[in-house]
Amino acid sequence: MNPAVFLSLSDVRCSLLLLVTWVFTPVTTEITSLDTENIDEILNNADVALVNFYADWCRFSQMLHPIFEEASDVIKEEYPHKNQVVFARVDCDQHSDIAQRYRISKYPTLKLFRNGMMMKREYRGQRSVKALADYIRQQKSDPIQEIQDLAEITTLDRSKRNIIGYFEQKDSDNYRIFERVASILHDDCAFLSAFGDVSKPERYSGDNIIYKPPGHSAPDMVYLGSMTHFDLTYNWIQDKCVPLVREITFENGEELTEEGLPFLILFHMKEDTESLEIFQNEVARQLISEKGTINFLHADCDKFRHPLLHIQKTPADCPVIAIDSFRHMYVFGDFQDVLIPGKLKQFVFDLHSGKLHREFHHGPDPTDTAPGEQVQDVASSPPESSFQKLAPSEYRYTLLRDRDEL
């Protein structure tokens, strides 16, 4: 028989303290570290993944680490399956190839992935546990509103771009593709769906997808491609959801600025839809080939009074067209000149050729003067960029490089 072992009162207290600490200390989730060997496998198998691209020497990255880890713990309790939500990180100093692959230009950068596909919009919200957790909950919510009665179609918000899918059944390949596209583009369009008997009147030729553009005058458009082909479906819906001419707001200004393309902007009063329609039509007619070299935008004159004042304009002067190259702002002539064939296109070409910049500093190019007219330099100070101020701030990020702008 073993002899009894007696503990002192202090030993008992210490043991109880250790036991209580072990029981009540929450289990922390280890953040998945990504490298060239595992990144594709982990991201491709994750429904939703939030990836922190960081550098150890960056003070903003250091501040984010404990917040990111705690947010991961919170979300793991709500979505315990390992592939439902993944919080991951990339040390960009150790894995510069991955940083280059995803075009990381600042630390920390938080990018969202769905089944391996990187979403265009990165996380730019508040860096707090609650904000990050709420963001993931929003990403996990159903992006599609189910229609219970076709009469609901008449009450749609027609200021939005609406995509409506009519399906025989929810458990189908057609709907799964639609659901996947909606999860990616739900920030750009409102997605709705109807099934079975409710959708039957709209399924006279089988399952289909309808696009209802903003306003009540534009006709509906029908998707004619294969509904089980993801790329075809995604490209068609993206073309409808992401317009050629986008609205710039204070909410998306940082994102648009970081795309690195100069802005061609129409400033117009919110209720002036006629000028916006003219601008949209002329951009599509004259500048479709320039997509990818310049961002086509429109802005509310009242909300963006400061940039207008920067170019010596007021809301009373609207509509006004201008280019912001992120170095200077250049004003187009009279708005009605946009209807002159090729005029708007030449304005953009003059930006790319450097002519706008030269003329602001030295007056008209010699080729633009009349024969025999004396050419002289005209000193001027073109207005500096106004929208550059919306770019990612050095008080929030460590910026890796300055852009070389016109």
Side-chain angles (χ1 to χ4, degrees):
M1 181 174 178
N2 295 327
V5 177
F6 295 96
L7 297 174
S8 67
L9 183 58
S10 61
D11 287 337
V12 171
R13 286 173 177 169
C14 183
S15 299
L16 287 173
L17 179 60
L18 289 172
L19 179 62
V20 169
T21 302
W22 177 79
V23 170
F24 290 99
T25 299
V27 178
T28 57
T29 304
E30 184 177 347
I31 304 298
T32 304
S33 293
L34 301 179
D35 55 38
T36 53
E37 299 296 326
N38 67 8
I39 186 169
D40 290 327
E41 180 183 355
I42 290 174
L43 295 184
N44 289 341
N45 290 321
D47 295 340
V48 170
L50 186 63
V51 181
N52 174 18
F53 294 85
Y54 72 97
D56 277 331
W57 50 263
C58 165
R59 66 187 180 97
F60 300 111
S61 295
Q62 296 165 6
M63 293 163 62
L64 179 61
H65 282 323
I67 296 170
F68 195 71
E69 291 169 0
E70 188 176 345
S72 175
D73 292 338
V74 170
I75 289 299
K76 280 297 180 185
E77 291 184 5
E78 300 177 28
Y79 302 97
H81 191 279
K82 69 174 185 177
N83 289 334
Q84 284 182 298
V85 177
V86 171
F87 276 68
R89 62 188 172 195
V90 174
D91 183 334
C92 294
D93 280 343
Q94 296 294 322
H95 303 288
S96 58
D97 54 334
I98 297 178
Q100 291 173 6
R101 174 179 171 182
Y102 294 109
R103 299 181 181 179
I104 303 303
S105 61
K106 63 189 185 308
Y107 303 136
T109 293
L110 296 177
K111 287 189 176 289
L112 186 77
F113 294 78
R114 291 183 182 275
N115 303 114
M117 177 180 281
M118 186 182 72
M119 300 297 97
K120 185 176 181 180
R121 288 189 175 92
E122 64 188 57
Y123 177 78
R124 300 175 187 271
Q126 185 180 357
R127 292 173 189 160
S128 70
V129 173
K130 183 179 183 303
L132 285 170
D134 285 346
Y135 173 71
I136 293 298
R137 293 186 191 107
Q138 181 186 14
Q139 298 303 318
K140 290 294 290 180
S141 64
D142 193 342
I144 305 172
Q145 176 188 338
E146 185 172 343
I147 298 169
Q148 305 296 336
D149 189 320
L150 291 183
E152 296 175 29
I153 302 296
T154 61
T155 62
L156 289 179
D157 183 351
R158 295 307 299 268
S159 66
K160 297 180 179 179
R161 292 173 167 79
N162 292 281
I163 303 287
I164 309 173
Y166 298 101
F167 305 92
E168 183 177 359
Q169 55 186 7
K170 198 168 191 175
D171 185 15
S172 64
D173 290 339
N174 286 353
Y175 181 70
R176 279 187 280 274
I177 292 294
F178 184 75
E179 192 175 33
R180 188 177 164 195
V181 173
S183 70
I184 298 170
L185 295 173
H186 67 274
D187 288 334
D188 301 295
C189 270
F191 285 82
L192 305 96
S193 62
F195 305 95
D197 291 337
V198 175
S199 66
K200 192 173 183 179
E202 297 290 338
R203 288 189 291 105
Y204 39 82
S205 59
D207 292 356
N208 66 85
I209 299 172
I210 303 292
Y211 167 60
K212 287 185 175 293
H216 295 275
S217 58
D220 294 349
M221 300 180 71
V222 182
Y223 174 58
L224 301 175
S226 168
M227 295 187 67
T228 56
H229 194 295
F230 171 77
D231 289 338
L232 290 177
T233 308
Y234 174 79
N235 289 335
W236 186 84
I237 294 178
Q238 183 192 42
D239 182 62
K240 306 299 176 285
C241 291
V242 183
L244 184 61
V245 179
R246 295 176 286 175
E247 181 177 12
I248 185 169
T249 64
F250 290 112
E251 289 71 29
N252 68 4
E254 180 180 283
E255 173 191 333
L256 291 170
T257 302
E258 199 173 10
E259 289 181 11
L261 300 176
F263 292 171
L264 175 66
I265 313 174
L266 167 69
F267 295 92
H268 67 107
M269 301 303 290
K270 187 175 182 179
E271 62 276 8
D272 180 14
T273 57
E274 181 181 354
S275 295
L276 175 58
E277 186 174 350
I278 291 173
F279 182 69
Q280 289 171 329
N281 290 339
E282 292 306 317
V283 166
R285 183 177 293 114
Q286 300 185 40
L287 293 171
I288 191 67
S289 62
E290 293 302 302
K291 185 179 180 182
T293 67
I294 190 166
N295 268 326
F296 310 116
L297 306 170
H298 68 100
D300 186 328
C301 281
D302 279 328
K303 292 181 180 178
F304 286 91
R305 286 172 176 262
H306 179 71
L308 280 174
L309 290 173
H310 217 55
I311 54 175
Q312 300 181 337
K313 302 287 185 181
T314 70
D317 297 309
C318 289
V320 173
I321 296 174
I323 284 176
D324 191 316
S325 71
F326 297 143
R327 185 175 177 183
H328 295 302
M329 292 187 72
Y330 308 99
V331 183
F332 185 69
D334 186 88
F335 175 75
Q336 293 303 320
D337 289 349
V338 78
L339 296 172
I340 300 174
K343 187 80 172 180
L344 191 62
K345 186 174 186 176
Q346 188 62 52
F347 184 53
V348 172
F349 280 6
D350 287 348
L351 169 75
H352 292 318
S353 69
K355 182 178 178 181
L356 291 180
H357 187 78
R358 289 194 306 273
E359 289 191 344
F360 263 112
H361 285 287
H362 306 294
D365 278 358
T367 54
D368 293 335
T369 57
E373 185 179 346
Q374 185 176 0
V375 178
Q376 58 182 6
D377 282 356
V378 181
S380 69
S381 299
E384 292 184 353
S385 168
S386 185
F387 287 91
Q388 175 66 18
K389 297 179 178 66
L390 297 180
S393 169
E394 61 183 8
Y395 297 106
R396 181 174 167 82
Y397 301 98
T398 299
L399 306 177
L400 299 187
R401 60 183 179 274
D402 293 325
R403 272 194 302 272
D404 186 17
E405 289 136 355
L406 294 171

